[in-house]
Amino acid sequence: MSNLVIMPLLVPLVTAVLLIFFHKRLRAQRILGAVSALINIAVALGLVLHVRGNGIATLQLGGWAPPQGIVFVADMFAALLVLTTAIVGACCLFFAFFTIGEPRERHYFYPFFHFLLVGVIGSFLTGDIFNLFVCFEVMLIASYALIVLGGTKRQLRESIKYLLINIVSSALFVTAVAYLYGTLGTLNMADLSMRVAEAGQDGLLTLLSVLLLLVFGLKAGLLLFFWLPGSYSAPPPAVAAVFAGLLTKVGVYAIIRVFTLIFYHDQAVTHVLIGVLAAITMSAGVIGAIAYRDVHRILIYNIVAAVGFMAFGLAVASREALEGATFYLLHDMLVKALLFLLGGALIAGAGTSRLAEMGGLIRRFPLLGWLLLVAALALVGVPPTSGFVGKLLIVQGGLAEGWYWITGISLASSLLMLYSMMKLFMAAFWGEEPLHRPPSASRVPTGVYWPIGALTVLVLALGVGAQWAMPYVAMAADALTDPQIYIDAVMKE
Amino acid sequence: MEVLLCIAAGMLFTVGTYLILAKSLLRIALGTSLISHGVHLLLLTMAGVKRGAPPLLGEEAQAYTDPLPQALILTSIVISFGVTSFFFVLAYRAYKELGTDDMEQLRGQGDE
């Protein structure tokens, strides 16, 4: 029982509300935003250490006991994700200072940005399924505003589609909540888990779990990613990076939470279904990544492929695979934000997003080129970087449980991911510069190397220092493999 | 009673889905509001439509209706109201800027 659990949510919330009052004073906006982002990293780090020392921390809002009141739960899994969110959010914010441009800053960019963080962190910490819906909506409404802010034709066109698909999936989420309440009579996740265990997971509950999988799959881009390529290529790079790092991962988190805590009884149906979806998602993602010769599209389809990896780790559901999925999720949030920031800087420097019109950029942007190479290797999972450990554990888990086909697909798609990233690197940075440099080509502001460098260092440190990160990941996997730990923490007395 | 309400919710979902698949942006926006009506009706129905007093303690009745789904619906209504108003303004702005409300023409190849 500690208010520390809700602090990572309150810090951006208070900041966002304060920022509304002086939206024209850009300097003050930036300073307050930066200070709040750094404070939030410290708070989230404190939460991780607190959970490490004292076990799962819970906070009953208003002092009402769990099934009646709303409870916020920080187990290690959620705490690690909150920390990663705070770091990614801070890096994207610092990147935005240099790239977002004054007109957008004047029109409430920073308040929306902080509201987005509120929604994401709230989704990770809540222990109530309707509250999860509300946090999703906070996140989504902020993301609608961020995706359309600026109002270019392309943003308007793509945000209509993004909005529509999310309205439909939110309606389905409420439908699923209605059915859950109708059959089980509770909305608290720990209580739901207990009631499902008592009643036994019959056909109706399995159907409901598949409906929830559909909803979260829409958010996460698990198979249902048709909306994602258009939407994520519309907004400016700082926004696209925060979307790529955080939004789909909230969907992945919700899938992992629901299928490890509540609906884990009928794995022959649900987890096999998730495995098949994961295999299709991985294949489709890498097919997209190798098909296009456009920076946006290559990076976006790599998001899709990575979602497939995490879903595969969940589908295997052994301890090893869940550790791998957790590690990979943390790594992927960092590396996707890093890649989108690098991609944004690259597009700004080259003046185009098409590989055919680029070339020879290593002479103009040597640092950017080598950082992009490191990020690409980290994405694929070359050993000293962070992508390796997660993928290794997932693959080991998959082989141990006899998921040979899907393991094969995941290894093959890693290879194709490498191909797609190397294609990007070689086409953009090697060779000769084209004769007609696009007129919009410009210099990359040196300030953007700070957030990019910080993320690169973290990605490398997470890979080299996996030995230090593993106890935390193992603690997260404890609660994922044994729901009773989570239930006991929430339902004590 | 629940059966009738379920049929009504089902019809709202059907009409909403049909409208969302239409070409015109305005019809799509109307379709999303119909679907949210259907969802709210379903939420009310799934909690059970039993006879009881309104959930006010001053009524001093033997039995009350379940207050929780009503709170959930109220939350969901304001959220979908906010999103719908945003959607309408976005549709208006898109019509002004792009000069069409035909979803076929809003396809875009991502190459401008």
Side-chain angles (χ1 to χ4, degrees):
Chain A
M1 188 75 179
S2 147
N3 286 331
L4 183 62
V5 176
I6 205 169
M7 282 305 282
L9 178 110
L10 284 183
V11 172
L13 181 62
V14 171
T15 313
V17 173
L18 284 179
L19 286 176
I20 292 173
F21 292 111
F22 47 94
H23 65 106
K24 291 256 160 62
R25 298 179 57 189
L26 302 186
R27 203 177 158 75
Q29 292 259 318
R30 290 178 182 188
I31 292 172
L32 183 57
V35 168
S36 137
L38 294 177
I39 290 177
N40 211 25
I41 291 179
V43 169
L45 195 62
L47 182 63
V48 169
L49 295 176
H50 177 80
V51 175
R52 172 84 176 139
N54 307 343
I56 297 176
T58 61
L59 175 63
Q60 301 164 1
L61 298 190
W64 298 92
Q68 276 79 39
I70 287 175
V71 59
F72 268 55
V73 187
D75 63 341
M76 189 46 99
F77 185 47
L80 286 174
L81 289 173
V82 168
L83 177 60
T84 318
T85 304
I87 293 170
V88 167
C91 289
C92 293
L93 188 69
F94 280 99
F95 188 87
F97 291 158
F98 300 102
T99 58
I100 202 74
E102 204 172 298
R104 284 195 173 94
E105 283 181 312
R106 282 186 184 281
H107 289 94
Y108 302 96
F109 173 79
Y110 296 117
F112 284 131
F113 191 91
H114 284 92
F115 276 125
L116 185 80
L117 293 184
V118 172
V120 173
I121 291 174
S123 309
F124 289 146
L125 287 177
T126 185
D128 180 285
I129 207 146
F130 193 77
N131 198 239
L132 179 68
F133 164 73
V134 175
C135 289
F136 264 34
E137 289 300 314
V138 171
M139 169 185 94
L140 288 173
I141 291 172
S143 76
Y144 302 152
L146 284 175
I147 200 173
V148 80
L149 191 66
T152 62
K153 287 187 174 173
R154 181 174 186 168
Q155 280 179 310
L156 285 168
R157 208 178 54 211
E158 295 304 335
S159 53
I160 288 175
K161 296 166 199 168
Y162 179 72
L163 197 59
L164 178 61
I165 204 74
N166 279 307
I167 289 176
V168 172
S169 76
S170 296
L172 286 176
F173 195 176
V174 183
T175 314
V177 169
Y179 283 127
L180 269 180
Y181 185 70
T183 42
L184 296 170
T186 181
L187 293 171
N188 181 284
M189 290 192 210
D191 199 25
L192 275 174
S193 173
M194 281 158 64
R195 296 205 185 181
V196 172
E198 275 168 25
Q201 191 176 336
D202 56 358
L204 180 63
L205 287 175
T206 304
L207 182 70
L208 276 182
S209 73
V210 174
L211 182 58
L212 280 174
L213 180 65
L214 184 80
V215 171
F216 297 140
L218 264 172
K219 313 264 186 204
L222 181 66
L223 185 65
L224 305 169
F225 59 83
F226 48 86
W227 54 272
L228 208 145
S231 310
Y232 280 23
S233 57
V239 176
V242 82
F243 280 20
L246 303 179
L247 292 198
T248 54
K249 309 306 181 288
V250 177
V252 174
Y253 164 81
I255 294 175
I256 293 180
R257 183 61 86 200
V258 164
F259 285 92
T260 56
L261 180 62
I262 304 173
F263 298 110
Y264 56 92
H265 300 279
D266 196 0
Q267 302 201 342
V269 178
T270 53
H271 285 55
V272 169
L273 179 64
I274 295 173
V276 172
L277 294 181
I280 300 173
T281 311
M282 281 187 277
S283 320
V286 292
I287 288 172
I290 56 175
Y292 286 97
R293 296 184 59 77
D294 177 282
V295 176
H296 284 305
R297 301 270 155 165
I298 292 174
L299 296 181
I300 288 168
Y301 280 100
N302 273 313
I303 302 182
V304 175
V307 169
F309 271 99
M310 290 172 256
F312 173 43
L314 171 65
V316 175
S318 70
R319 192 193 153 81
E320 204 170 25
L322 283 174
E323 276 181 11
T326 309
F327 200 97
Y328 195 80
L329 184 54
L330 301 176
H331 142 81
D332 196 58
M333 288 167 81
L334 294 173
V335 84
K336 284 288 142 54
L338 173 60
L339 274 173
F340 271 76
L341 294 182
L342 285 164
L346 173 64
I347 291 168
T352 172
S353 73
R354 287 194 229 176
L355 292 183
E357 297 166 12
M358 292 182 191
L361 288 171
I362 198 78
R363 283 187 209 93
R364 283 170 59 209
F365 308 112
L367 183 58
L368 186 65
W370 298 120
L371 285 172
L372 187 74
L373 184 67
V374 171
L377 293 179
L379 171 75
V380 180
V382 176
T385 58
S386 60
F388 176 68
V389 185
K391 253 181 205 177
L392 179 71
L393 286 169
I394 294 177
V395 166
Q396 278 181 346
L399 291 178
E401 300 287 315
W403 296 66
Y404 300 116
W405 273 108
I406 305 186
T407 312
I409 290 176
S410 71
L411 289 173
S413 38
S414 292
L415 198 64
L416 293 175
M417 274 161 110
L418 180 66
Y419 168 69
S420 73
M421 289 312 297
M422 285 307 117
K423 180 181 71 179
L424 196 163
F425 176 73
M426 288 163 69
F429 288 96
W430 288 6
E432 292 298 318
E433 193 146 7
L435 288 173
H436 305 289
R437 190 187 289 175
S440 53
S442 63
R443 297 183 54 79
V444 177
T446 43
V448 303
Y449 287 113
W450 287 106
I452 289 175
L455 277 174
T456 311
V457 168
L458 273 174
V459 164
L460 290 175
L462 189 61
V464 175
Q467 197 70 42
W468 291 290
M470 271 326 274
Y472 295 89
V473 173
M475 198 175 162
D478 280 340
L480 292 181
T481 41
D482 183 7
Q484 198 59 41
I485 298 175
Y486 185 97
I487 295 171
D488 287 343
V490 176
M491 289 292 176
K492 62 192 169 208
E493 55 234 310
Chain B
M1 192 63 195
E2 275 93 344
V3 176
L4 277 177
L5 285 174
C6 280
I7 292 172
M11 284 169 68
L12 282 170
F13 269 103
T14 316
V15 178
T17 312
Y18 179 76
L19 283 175
I20 283 180
L21 296 175
K23 257 169 121 178
S24 145
L25 194 49
L26 197 58
R27 280 167 194 258
I28 292 175
L30 287 175
T32 58
S33 351
L34 281 186
I35 281 196
S36 71
H37 285 319
V39 168
H40 298 150
L41 191 59
L42 188 74
L43 201 47
L44 192 70
T45 314
M46 286 309 292
V49 195
K50 297 179 199 68
R51 283 167 198 281
L56 297 168
L57 287 179
E59 298 279 316
E60 287 172 2
Q62 292 290 321
Y64 293 98
T65 47
D66 189 349
L68 186 65
Q70 302 189 10
L72 301 185
I73 291 168
L74 195 58
T75 313
S76 180
I77 283 175
V78 293
I79 290 176
S80 59
F81 181 73
V83 174
T84 306
S85 53
F86 187 82
F87 196 22
F88 273 109
V89 174
L90 183 68
Y92 175 71
R93 183 74 193 274
Y95 177 70
K96 287 283 228 190
E97 289 276 325
L98 303 165
T100 178
D101 74 332
D102 186 346
M103 287 307 277
E104 289 284 325
Q105 293 176 19
L106 289 176
R107 183 169 287 182
Q109 301 297 323
D111 53 356
E112 66 267 86

